[in-house]
Amino acid sequence: METTAGAIVTGGSQGIGYAIAEALLKRGMRVAITGRDAGRLAAAAQRLGAGDRVLRLAGDVGDATVAQALVDQAAAAFGGLDVLVNNAGIGLFGNVSDFSVEDWDRLVATNVSGVFYCTRAAIPHLRRRGGGWVINISSLAGVNPFPGAAAYCASKAALDAFTMALMQEVRHDGIRVAAIAPGSVATGFSGRRGEDGADWKLAPADVAQVVVDLIAHPSRSLPSRVELRPSRPRR
């Protein structure tokens, strides 16, 4: 993959986002990682060890003004923008009858609105570069809903629909849009420790590999959705 101006990975301080940032850096890109916790971002940037090729931007992508500022800062620092990876997401679980309005609003703000805010801010920068990528990290939960996760599954279904519509809107601008929908990933995302009995699960690096493979695809092709499952799930 050729070195490009730069990429943004939202939620890039840990888990899948961190693995994606690490993979992009290994391929010569400059990467901005975003997150709400400045201390965690600083620690992640130090672990990544890529010097000034890593830009850390603290802020909540669920706030439209903040999301716009984060994207603009990254594009200004890199002299342009080639890749946006909308990875930031939260997992809040519970039956609908017990789910609070506050948790619903918080989940939708990050998992759906944050993607819209960052993407809307990124499109003008991508157009100025003559194209690029928007890659949204979804979940198999968007097409395989399960009890106790109605809010989370709904947010990922919304993300899938957003991705497919956006893909058709911007493809003639040279902007390719794709969703990656992983199954179980050993990150502790659901609140359980990711390491306990998780040998069968996907690793964050598996998702990161799909991101770099997508970016490396010839410009004539558009793999618009990748579903990623553990090859030998627990029986």
Side-chain angles (χ1 to χ4, degrees):
M1 184 177 67
E2 296 179 356
T3 301
T4 54
I8 301 172
V9 181
T10 67
S13 67
Q14 59 185 335
I16 292 172
Y18 179 89
I20 293 170
E22 185 176 42
L24 294 176
L25 287 164
K26 286 179 179 177
R27 283 153 181 80
M29 295 187 72
R30 291 174 287 178
V31 180
I33 56 174
T34 80
R36 288 177 292 184
D37 188 320
R40 187 172 287 169
L41 281 171
Q46 185 173 20
R47 292 198 311 276
L48 287 167
D52 61 4
R53 289 197 299 121
V54 178
L55 177 67
R56 59 183 194 269
L57 298 172
D60 183 359
V61 297
D63 181 307
T65 302
V66 172
Q68 181 74 54
L70 294 175
V71 172
D72 289 346
Q73 287 175 52
F78 296 151
L81 181 66
D82 293 277
V83 178
L84 168 65
V85 181
N86 285 306
N87 166 76
I90 58 175
L92 301 173
F93 300 93
N95 291 339
V96 172
S97 59
D98 303 318
F99 208 75
S100 70
V101 171
E102 292 76 17
D103 281 348
W104 171 270
D105 289 344
R106 188 155 64 97
L107 187 146
V108 171
T110 300
N111 294 9
V112 183
S113 297
V115 174
F116 166 68
Y117 298 148
C118 289
T119 302
R120 184 175 181 274
I123 287 173
H125 296 292
L126 294 168
R127 283 176 171 157
R128 279 193 285 273
R129 292 284 292 174
W133 276 95
V134 177
I135 299 175
N136 297 330
I137 306 303
S138 185
S139 169
L140 290 178
V143 293
N144 298 293
F146 56 95
Y152 179 75
C153 295
S155 75
K156 292 303 182 179
L159 176 58
D160 289 343
F162 176 85
T163 302
M164 292 301 102
L166 174 69
M167 178 268 291
Q168 296 171 75
E169 290 178 6
V170 298
R171 63 200 307 184
H172 293 293
D173 295 316
I175 301 171
R176 291 184 284 176
V177 181
I180 301 174
S184 299
V185 184
T187 62
F189 178 76
S190 64
R192 297 184 283 276
R193 289 182 58 193
E195 298 83 4
D196 292 349
D199 291 348
W200 61 274
K201 293 183 178 182
L202 298 168
D206 298 330
V207 183
Q209 183 64 52
V210 176
V211 171
V212 297
D213 287 348
L214 284 172
I215 294 170
H217 261 265
S219 59
R220 66 179 175 271
S221 67
L222 175 53
S224 57
R225 179 177 173 83
V226 179
E227 294 189 353
L228 190 64
R229 294 172 171 80
S231 58
R232 299 186 67 180
R234 186 169 53 194
R235 292 184 177 179

